[in-house]
Amino acid sequence: MDETTRILQDLLTRAAAAHGVHEQEDLGGIYDEQWPQWYAAHMTARLVERGLRLVADDASREDPGLGDSAREELGEPSQTAQ
């Protein structure tokens, strides 16, 4: 597993646990329909705590979609193959 995937997996696992607490304690057990926003804010804060941030590389500026390596990992055809 590469470093980016490991970091994201760790952040998602921690966000899931923290969000469960948030739903129980802050929302009184009610399903949080705004969970994507909550997860994004939580994960962003955890990245900042680690001194990390997301930065677009030159290739992503040219192709706003997934990069070829991410497409291959997801089993999708690369942009160059289309």
Side-chain angles (χ1 to χ4, degrees), residues 15 19 22 32-45:
H19 189 258
H22 166 68
D32 181 11
E33 296 201 19
Q34 303 300 317
W35 69 265
Q37 294 87 340
W38 192 97
Y39 266 60
H42 186 273
M43 291 174 66
T44 298

Side-chain angles (χ1 to χ4, degrees), residues 36-64:
Q37 294 87 340
W38 192 97
Y39 266 60
H42 186 273
M43 291 174 66
T44 298
R46 300 301 78 80
L47 283 169
V48 169
E49 287 173 357
R50 293 178 183 205
L52 301 171
R53 63 187 175 104
L54 300 179
V55 178
D57 63 10
D58 290 336
S60 67
R61 288 188 188 112
E62 295 170 12
D63 178 10

Side-chain angles (χ1 to χ4, degrees), residues 14-30 38:
R14 291 173 184 265
H19 189 258
V21 172
H22 166 68
E23 280 185 325
Q24 287 302 311
E25 293 182 1
D26 300 333
L27 303 179
I30 297 172
W38 192 97

